[in-house]
């Protein structure tokens, strides 16, 4: 087992000149979040307790945020489906948040065993006030007084992730992956020095290490780049937590729960002077492509369609409209696969209303994206991407760009090859 590494090493590139490194200040306040895998069984829970105990012995103060154990959230959802076809949001949230509640109590017990005084808190007790949107509640305010008092008394506060209490006094769930957001929001409310997000890989990688074995851990990444990465398929950290961290300037350290190795630092500035043109390749196979053919080309049609979809809570992404020929055009867009039925229902109504030809859904697509702040100032990046895909016989169905991202929709069966080829073409592999 390696020795304790400082929170911010003396040579850490993220350290702004002239500031006192966190590890050298007498006491740092650290929020540590452990995901489901990290607290998946009793053995792992004891390891987390050991990790926290070392941090405390090093002199730092710790607030812990935990997710539900392993796949417990999925299991609770399945249980709900087995019991009934009616899932009122209030009851579903009460059920799901029990997963985190169980984990936080067990982690506390393991901490006591490791000689670390600790108290667990539900989201409500920790001061998370949310709106009333069950299943996907938004944080309105964090009042962390109890957590602060606990920490000031030299105890570790263990907070259940992804939960709060609504303005109507009901228990709310912040949504899937919401524990990352709990950790970031708590770090901000407490003025913590850093928010550490522990996962099953050693940081944020240049691409999904499960697909490409030569993927490299990124020592640092900017909020802007990480936000584009999470929006285009990188599962870690949850996108909402990155948005929260960027808005409030919370420094993140994404790292492994199983080693003491430095992970990936996430901060405002671009990581270094010699900015890589492309920093990462991401992919997302969770969406479907919808195409409406023969849409009359006149004002108001797109507005009507996308308003109807928005009113039905369909999250539309990547919209492409063709140049019109003979007064008609095609409109393609992507939606989450789970929303195909709802989308078809709404678009069919529109097709009938405006006299379009028809609508088609293709679930077998995936999106591959390149992300990099250096793209802003370097021409030819998109061209290299398209050439690389062509060299591998990958046909591009749709293209979309932002200032620091280029995305292509391709056949799902070719996405893994596309990711590997682009990772290679932009020299991202481990040397
Ligand atoms: P957790 O269980 O900690 O919430 P997830 O299983 O949701 O974490 O996400 C972690 C996984 O995301 C990693 O095991 C890794 O394989 C995958 N992953 C995909 N793309 C990346 C990337 N660019 N960097 C790091 N991990 C990635
Ligand atoms: N346990 C919840 C989920 O699986 C919340 C979280 O882990 O962030 O989504
Ligand atoms: Mg997860």
């Amino acid at each position: 087992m390696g020795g304790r590494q400082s929170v911010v090493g003396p040579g850490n590139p993220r350290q702004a000149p002239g500031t006192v490194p966190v590890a050298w200040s007498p006491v740092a306040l650290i929020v540590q979040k452990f995901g489901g895998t990290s607290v998946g069984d009793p053995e792992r829970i004891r390891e987390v307790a050991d990790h926290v105990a070392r941090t405390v012995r090093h002199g730092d103060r710790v607030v812990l945020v935990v997710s539900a154990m392993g796949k417990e959230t999925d299991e609770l959802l399945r249980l709900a489906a087995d019991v009934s076809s009616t899932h009122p949001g209030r009851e579903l949230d009460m059920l799901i948040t029990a997963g985190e509640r169980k984990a936080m109590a067990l982690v506390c017990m393991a901490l006591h065993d490791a000689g670390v005084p600790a108290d667990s808190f539900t989201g409500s007790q920790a001061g998370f006030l949310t709106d009333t949107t069950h299943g996907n509640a938004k944080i309105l305010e964090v009042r962390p007084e109890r957590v602060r008092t606990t920490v000031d008394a030299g105890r570790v506060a263990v907070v259940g992730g992804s939960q709060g209490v609504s303005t109507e006094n009901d228990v709310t769930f912040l949504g899937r992956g919401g524990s990352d957001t709990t950790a970031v929001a708590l770090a901000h409310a407490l003025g913590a020095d850093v928010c550490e997000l522990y996962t099953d890989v050693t940081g944020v990688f240049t691409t999904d290490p499960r697909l490409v074995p030569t993927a490299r851990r990124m020592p640092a990444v900017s909020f802007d780049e990480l936000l584009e990465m999470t929006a285009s398929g990188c599962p870690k950290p949850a996108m909402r937590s990155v948005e929260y961290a960027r808005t409030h300037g919370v420094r993140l350290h994404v790292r492994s729960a199983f080693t003491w190795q430095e992970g990936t630092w996430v901060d405002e500035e671009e990581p270094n002077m010699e900015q890589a043109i492309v920093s990462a390749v991401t992919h997302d196979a969770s969406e479907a492509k919808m195409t409406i053919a023969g849409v009359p080309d006149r004002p108001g049609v797109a507005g009507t369609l996308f308003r109807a979809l928005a009113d039905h809570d369909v999250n539309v992404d990547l919209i492409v409209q063709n140049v019109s020929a003979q007064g008609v055009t095609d409109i393609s867009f992507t939606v989450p696969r789970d929303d195909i039925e709802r989308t078809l229902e709404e678009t069919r109504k529109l097709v009938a209303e405006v006299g379009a030809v028809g609508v088609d859904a293709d679930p077998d697509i995936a999106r591959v994206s390149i992300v990099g702040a250096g793209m802003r100032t370097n021409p030819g990046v998109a061209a290299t991407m398209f050439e690389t895909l062509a060299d591998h016989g990958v046909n591009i169905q749709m293209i979309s760009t932002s200032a620091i991202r280029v995305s292509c929709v391709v056949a799902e069966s070719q996405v893994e090859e596309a990711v590997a080829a682009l990772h290679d073409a932009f020299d991202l592999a481990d040397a």
Side-chain angles (χ1 to χ4, degrees), residues 118-330:
D119 304 308
S120 64
F121 298 96
T122 63
S124 166
Q125 290 176 310
F128 279 79
L129 185 71
T130 74
D131 68 7
T132 54
T133 320
H134 283 292
N136 196 23
K138 299 275 170 303
I139 299 170
L140 299 177
E141 203 185 333
V142 185
R143 300 175 186 151
E145 285 73 29
R146 270 194 91 175
V147 172
R148 200 189 303 275
T149 310
T150 303
V151 171
D152 286 347
R155 304 175 71 83
V156 169
V158 185
V159 177
S162 204
Q163 52 183 274
V165 63
S166 75
T167 45
E168 286 174 9
N169 248 322
D170 286 318
V171 169
T172 46
F173 182 57
L174 304 187
R176 300 310 305 264
S179 298
D180 288 353
T181 310
T182 298
V184 172
L186 206 48
H188 172 242
L190 291 167
D193 297 283
V194 62
C195 178
E196 299 184 335
L197 301 172
Y198 287 86
T199 182
D200 60 351
V201 282
T202 55
V204 180
F205 279 67
T206 49
T207 196
D208 187 344
R210 283 174 298 201
L211 287 192
V212 182
T214 54
R216 239 179 336 108
R217 177 180 60 82
M218 303 164 81
V221 62
S222 66
F223 284 128
D224 285 348
E225 285 183 321
L226 188 58
L227 208 51
E228 289 282 7
M229 286 176 70
T230 55
S232 61
C234 178
K236 274 282 115 173
M239 180 165 71
R240 212 167 126 194
S241 72
V242 181
E243 270 172 344
Y244 203 107
R246 178 170 74 163
T247 305
H248 299 285
V250 179
R251 292 172 78 227
L252 304 178
H253 187 188
V254 183
R255 56 192 304 196
S256 163
F258 311 119
T259 72
W260 284 96
Q261 211 179 321
E262 285 266 311
T264 299
W265 288 89
V266 192
D267 220 320
E268 262 142 42
E269 335 89 85
E270 306 298 346
N272 55 53
M273 307 295 286
E274 287 178 49
Q275 181 67 61
I277 295 174
V278 169
S279 306
V281 180
T282 57
H283 75 287
D284 179 1
S286 68
E287 296 192 320
K289 182 180 75 169
M290 315 294 297
T291 303
I292 312 178
V295 183
D297 193 13
R298 59 165 195 262
V301 176
T304 310
L305 167 67
F306 292 110
R307 169 59 59 205
L309 294 176
D311 287 347
H312 287 78
D313 263 338
V314 176
N315 207 351
V316 175
D317 205 3
L318 221 155
I319 304 167
V320 174
Q321 178 180 312
N322 274 344
V323 175
S324 94
Q326 280 101 43
V328 292
T329 181
D330 294 343

